[in-house]
Amino acid sequence: EVLHEPKDEL
Amino acid sequence: MNAFRLAGDMTHLLSIILLLLKIRATKSCAGISLKTQELYVIVFMSRYLDLFRTYYSLYNSLMKIIFLGTSMCIVWYMRSHKVVRQTYNNDEDTFRHFFLVLPCFVLALLVHRNFTFIEILWTFSLYLESVAILPQLVLLQKSSNIDNLTGTYVFLLGAYRGLYLFNWVYRFFTENHRVRWIPWLSGLIQTAIYTDFFYYYIRSWKNREKLKLPA
């Protein structure tokens, strides 16, 4: 599971 | 990166290019809300703080720098360029930043995922972005003469977050991410705010009439 939210968006 | 996300980013980029084109080519910022543009500078500055902290990709960093740079450039044109600033609808652009910034900041302090400086600012930027268009829409409602570039600029700016909604649905089913209520709901509200504008924009485009929003 991914622990942190992906902040790879703009 | 999926096609929705790319289409969303390109729409966003195109909207900014169009606005800069209008300002540079016509030497006019008539119909553009300085309030909204300043809110966007705040949005980008608070969201892209991680630019020098976390590296995602060259694309990601470049786009962040472009959004930061162009938003500040637009505000500079509207405030300081000796010709452009005289075309600004100062009297009609009456919405107060304060009424949007403060509630969004308080909400970010109350509703967030982690209580850290970066996380609060990131959350705040999403809340603020969702309502940042309001001064612009209010100004358009007051304008009797909305030029094509301004109308299309607002349309593309609204479409960008709508495409992100599809991107989130796609990512939810294809990636192992948890539910992300904060960006999803903010994006949904952001797109919903444009609904009325979309309706009148598409109608005027289909009927080849001049865009006019009912007061």
Side-chain angles (χ1 to χ4, degrees):
Chain A
E1 196 199 355
V2 179
L3 286 178
H4 298 286
E5 287 197 65
K7 294 208 173 40
D8 54 352
E9 289 175 348
L10 297 164
Chain B
M1 181 160 56
N2 62 68
F4 300 116
R5 159 78 197 282
L6 185 65
D9 286 350
M10 289 306 115
T11 311
H12 195 183
L13 192 61
L14 202 64
S15 73
I16 293 170
I17 292 173
L18 205 68
L19 178 56
L20 275 169
L21 210 68
K22 169 192 154 82
I23 292 175
R24 282 191 60 91
T26 66
K27 290 277 180 289
S28 160
C29 64
I32 301 296
S33 164
L34 178 61
K35 304 291 168 70
T36 285
Q37 297 304 323
E38 286 175 340
L39 289 175
Y40 269 111
V41 174
I42 300 175
V43 165
F44 293 144
M45 289 216 312
S46 39
R47 189 174 312 162
Y48 298 158
L49 261 184
D50 68 343
L51 183 61
F52 302 103
R53 218 179 65 133
T54 323
Y55 178 80
Y56 295 100
S57 64
L58 182 65
Y59 171 84
N60 196 283
S61 302
L62 264 179
M63 290 294 267
K64 285 176 178 174
I65 293 168
I66 290 173
F67 288 148
L68 274 168
T70 49
S71 62
M72 288 191 255
C73 178
I74 291 164
V75 167
W76 176 82
Y77 264 114
M78 295 184 73
R79 277 180 138 358
S80 310
H81 189 281
K82 63 180 190 292
V83 182
V84 175
R85 71 169 188 211
Q86 288 171 22
T87 61
Y88 168 54
N89 309 57
N90 197 10
D91 308 332
E92 290 175 320
D93 192 18
T94 48
F95 210 103
R96 309 227 177 233
H97 309 80
F98 187 73
F99 290 124
L100 295 176
V101 173
L102 190 73
C104 288
F105 193 72
V106 172
L107 191 64
L109 286 176
L110 297 173
V111 184
H112 51 259
R113 186 149 255 179
N114 299 305
F115 194 76
T116 62
F117 182 67
I118 294 264
E119 190 73 22
I120 296 289
L121 280 181
W122 180 79
T123 311
F124 162 67
S125 82
L126 284 167
Y127 294 157
L128 188 61
E129 186 188 352
S130 67
V131 290
I133 198 64
L134 286 172
Q136 178 65 66
L137 291 177
V138 169
L139 178 60
L140 286 186
Q141 252 181 4
K142 291 181 188 167
S143 314
S144 50
N145 193 20
I146 306 170
D147 61 83
N148 280 332
L149 285 175
T150 305
T152 307
Y153 161 70
V154 176
F155 177 77
L156 292 174
L157 194 59
Y160 127 76
R161 215 54 175 173
L163 287 162
Y164 257 70
L165 295 178
F166 290 102
N167 155 56
W168 290 325
V169 173
Y170 182 87
R171 290 189 80 172
F172 179 75
F173 288 109
T174 55
E175 291 173 27
N176 190 21
H177 290 315
R178 293 189 299 190
V179 177
R180 303 169 60 209
W181 290 117
I182 291 174
W184 289 356
L185 279 178
S186 312
L188 200 65
I189 291 169
Q190 183 171 342
T191 309
I193 288 175
Y194 283 87
T195 319
D196 232 35
F197 175 84
F198 286 150
Y199 172 76
Y200 289 105
Y201 179 82
I202 292 169
R203 202 178 69 165
S204 79
W205 178 73
K206 269 170 75 179
N207 301 341
R208 294 174 190 190
E209 289 166 348
K210 218 165 164 40
L211 175 62
K212 197 179 176 332
L213 302 182

